[in-house]
Amino acid sequence: MSSQAPCYSVAIIGLGAQGYSTWFEHLRQSSTIKVSAVCDTSTTAIDDFTSLFPEIPGYTNLEQLLQHHQDKLSFAIVCVPNRHHFQVIKQLSAAGVACLKEKPIAESLEEYSNLRCIPTKVAVAFQRRWQPRFIHFRSLLPMIGSPLSIRARLVGKYDPPSDGWRMMDNVGTFVRPSFAPFDDLGVHMLDVITWLFGRPTTVLGHRANDHLHSARDRESHVVMRWDSSGLVGHLYVSEVEFGKSETVQVRGDRGSLHLNCNEIIHYDSHGRQTFQTVFQSRKEDTIQNICQQFGEYIQGVQESFSTSIAQVEDTLVTAEAICTSFLSNNLESVPPTTEYKNGSKTMQLSPSLNGDAGHPDKNASTNGHKPCSKTNGHSKNGNGTTDTNFTRLCFTLNTGDKMPGLGFGTRKPKAPMQTYEAVMTALRLGYRHIDTAFRYNNEDQVGKAVRDSGLARDTVWITTKVDNSWHHRVAESVRLSIERLGTEYIDLLLMHWPSPVKPEDPTQAMPDWDFIKTWQDMQREVQAGRIRNIGVSNFGIRNLTKLLSHPQCTIVPAVNQIELHPCCPSNELLAFCELNDIHCTAYSPLASGLPELHENVALRELCERKGRTPQQILIMWALQRGTSVIPKSVKAERIASNFDLNGWNLTPDEHKLLSNLEVRCRVYPDDWLPERVFWEEDD
């Protein structure tokens, strides 16, 4: 069930500054993105290129390129002048080639409408959405609670010649009436704002009057408001500054988050700095990541792409409203839905998936957690799903590996070989995801059952965990787990708890050690090839933030396995994990031993209405939230009953009955650990 990053063949259309310097130069050393051909109408540009890189064919005619490479291309990168974008994309689309285009989004709303109707996939290269600093900044927003205000600033770097200011890095802040209206400096930061919070309700824009004959504006101020949340914002863009600066500050009711170039700082509600981190990322990595992710989007490995033509609509319509406000000097409304004419057809477009301010995925499901990518044809519409084949449901992790959604837990066997018999039963019924742990002392039984089942190793997903007392001995722990399982690799290794303890006294914290060091050792196991995926377990927002913001965290956890059921929904934690592309697995999804749930009227009512057991209802509730589950039983009839999930589901209203329960309780608290790991903010 593992996958290596595939290699994608691309063509670069247009060898100007963007095509050559931004794309070719940063892709030429990539091991997964191969530039197979280039095209430019300038014979000189092609001759110069092929003299330097004779192994890459160059063409002055797009028809010739397609004639030789159409069936071999994964996608094309379009870097031609703005006015030619649509015609080039239309020609490539007719040949079945997807396009990753340089900015602007479109020359006009009409062109944007036409781009939306292109049958092949089209995306725009807004690089900031893919830069690690902005990705981490977005993932940390839940720490500040409900956002109250955002201030963004983007200014250029200049030198002052004798005849006035001359910009060195960019041209204009928002509008150049003679050219594309949405391709200037301010739109780059505006795109970050709409990516974080969706389109605002109203905007008011003003430009400083330099009394210049130049068509471009030089300094702009934009005030925004999101009526649904009360969030207010200010964007300042200038090309007449003495130094280059790029900042974003978001203040919430629980603190504030500050991005200053490559530095991120968090302050709590009392103004105390809680952490500071600096990102040293390379443009080369960002460009290659964009292409890799776009390739996976084209292949269907990923169901969405952050800057697909549909996902940048919020930026386009907000920029249009800002430009209108510049001219009118009035407050302008940003349409909540937008109609675009395409010939005789009208498309009604709603705001993109960002939803309400501060909760980018709030509308994806009732609990604020948007499911990870699913495979085998399963839909991605949260608890409103109409899919009925839940036993075959898989979730695509951030590594590209596909993990079966319905797993089988093996904690606390009560008799010799009990785990072996239970796992054998589960595998015969169709379970393909077995969860164990070093601490359970049954890895040998799990491995034997998998071998004796006759199933190929790569058809069964095995998860195990590093015990608290083995944090400082990860390599040895992995060696022993592999030896006991009798396998060459482990599909998923989790850090069982973020609490390293003394081996001789598990009630005492291990001195001079924290889970950051453990994670570094786990990363080395991936590099060694013994582990396919690594993740965490029992991590809340605080500990995840500490891990993700640490410079030595080079691999984002693929999974966070946590206690999840209607009395422990952890809504904010799920939303945080979703923002960081961390899949969540529910342990104790059946909440065994919690009368607060099993005696609840809502659960009893659903069981009677659906003709299902409480366990089936709870498993279905978890799967329809977008979380995988690992229910545990040693009774053959119960193992079979828990697997009986096809042909039915919970309606959105039925799902809400459980989601809206107010009682909060856990099967496994953290009071036995030497340090606290669960916090109210996770809910």
Side-chain angles (χ1 to χ4, degrees), residues 288-479:
Q288 293 181 14
N289 184 40
I290 292 174
C291 290
Q292 186 70 36
Q293 299 293 324
F294 188 61
E296 294 180 2
Y297 172 55
I298 293 168
Q299 287 193 336
V301 175
Q302 296 191 20
E303 294 186 14
S304 63
F305 186 74
S306 178
T307 55
S308 69
I309 197 67
Q311 295 279 37
V312 295
E313 183 197 343
D314 283 348
T315 300
L316 183 78
V317 296
T318 305
E320 181 194 22
I322 290 170
C323 292
T324 301
S325 182
F326 283 153
L327 297 175
S328 69
N329 290 318
N330 292 326
L331 187 72
E332 297 290 340
S333 296
V334 181
T337 59
T338 311
E339 288 188 356
Y340 299 118
K341 297 288 184 179
N342 182 34
S344 60
K345 181 180 179 181
T346 299
M347 297 189 299
Q348 178 98 353
L349 303 176
S350 298
S352 15
L353 297 177
N354 288 343
D356 290 342
H359 299 279
D361 298 307
K362 183 176 181 180
N363 294 325
S365 64
T366 57
N367 50 43
H369 179 58
K370 185 176 68 177
C372 292
S373 300
K374 303 176 185 179
T375 59
N376 296 330
H378 292 271
S379 59
K380 195 179 180 183
N381 53 357
N383 59 26
T385 179
T386 58
D387 195 295
T388 57
N389 198 3
F390 283 97
T391 57
R392 292 181 57 196
L393 175 66
C394 287
F395 292 95
T396 302
L397 305 181
N398 58 25
T399 61
D401 282 4
K402 296 173 175 61
M403 184 176 75
L406 179 56
F408 183 73
T410 62
R411 187 177 185 272
K412 284 187 175 179
K414 294 181 172 61
M417 298 305 290
Q418 191 177 59
T419 297
Y420 171 81
E421 296 296 339
V423 173
M424 283 291 288
T425 299
L427 294 174
R428 280 196 298 268
L429 288 167
Y431 289 85
R432 292 297 181 266
H433 174 179
I434 309 299
D435 180 271
T436 183
F438 190 97
R439 182 182 180 86
Y440 299 169
N441 293 317
N442 61 5
E443 290 171 314
D444 56 339
Q445 297 182 50
V446 169
K448 177 175 171 54
V450 171
R451 292 191 300 275
D452 292 353
S453 71
L455 296 168
R457 170 65 184 89
D458 62 1
T459 66
V460 181
W461 182 280
I462 298 178
T463 297
T464 192
K465 310 174 189 75
V466 177
D467 186 51
N468 296 357
S469 61
W470 286 75
H471 273 237
H472 61 311
R473 299 173 289 175
V474 170
E476 185 179 357
S477 171
V478 169
R479 180 186 64 78

Side-chain angles (χ1 to χ4, degrees), residues 20-237:
Y20 184 84
S21 300
T22 298
W23 295 98
F24 178 73
E25 282 292 332
H26 292 116
L27 290 176
R28 56 184 295 198
Q29 301 299 328
S30 172
S31 60
T32 59
I33 310 296
K34 177 185 178 183
V35 178
S36 300
V38 298
C39 181
D40 196 288
T41 56
S42 169
T43 303
T44 301
I46 291 297
D47 289 344
D48 289 345
F49 180 87
T50 53
S51 67
L52 293 172
F53 307 99
E55 71 280 7
I56 302 176
Y59 303 89
T60 57
N61 185 292
L62 187 54
E63 288 82 359
Q64 293 176 352
L65 184 148
L66 290 172
Q67 182 180 354
H68 291 89
H69 299 275
Q70 175 179 343
D71 297 331
K72 304 172 185 176
L73 290 179
S74 303
F75 59 92
I77 300 171
V78 178
C79 306
V80 298
N82 304 341
R83 62 186 180 277
H84 300 307
H85 275 196
F86 180 70
Q87 288 304 321
V88 170
I89 291 171
K90 186 177 179 181
Q91 188 174 352
L92 288 164
S93 176
V97 179
C99 296
L100 178 62
K101 69 187 291 289
E102 262 295 345
K103 302 167 289 295
I105 298 172
E107 287 277 289
S108 65
L109 292 178
E110 180 180 1
E111 182 177 286
Y112 178 73
S113 170
N114 292 331
L115 285 170
R116 288 287 298 256
C117 293
I118 291 288
T120 53
K121 291 179 177 178
V122 179
V124 185
F126 276 119
Q127 294 180 30
R128 281 172 177 79
R129 294 198 191 191
W130 300 96
Q131 293 172 355
R133 54 181 179 149
F134 283 105
I135 293 172
H136 279 262
F137 186 84
R138 187 176 191 244
S139 72
L140 297 173
L141 283 175
M143 293 183 64
I144 67 171
S146 298
L148 303 173
S149 67
I150 174 172
R151 289 177 291 162
R153 170 187 174 95
L154 183 61
V155 299
K157 179 182 179 183
Y158 316 88
D159 66 343
S162 58
D163 58 349
W165 292 94
R166 177 172 65 85
M167 182 161 188
M168 294 173 60
D169 292 325
N170 294 284
V171 181
T173 65
F174 259 98
V175 291
R176 290 176 292 161
S178 301
F179 303 97
F182 310 130
D183 188 31
D184 294 314
L185 185 61
V187 179
H188 295 268
M189 189 58 81
L190 177 66
D191 181 68
V192 170
I193 294 173
T194 60
W195 176 54
L196 295 176
F197 300 113
R199 69 180 74 178
T201 309
T202 56
V203 297
L204 176 62
H206 290 295
R207 292 174 292 167
N209 184 2
D210 284 354
H211 299 288
L212 297 175
H213 296 294
S214 172
R216 74 177 190 245
D217 57 315
R218 318 199 80 182
E219 180 180 337
S220 301
H221 296 259
V222 181
V223 178
M224 294 164 275
R225 177 177 171 82
W226 290 256
D227 284 351
S228 61
S229 63
L231 175 69
V232 294
H234 176 252
L235 171 61
Y236 170 60
V237 191

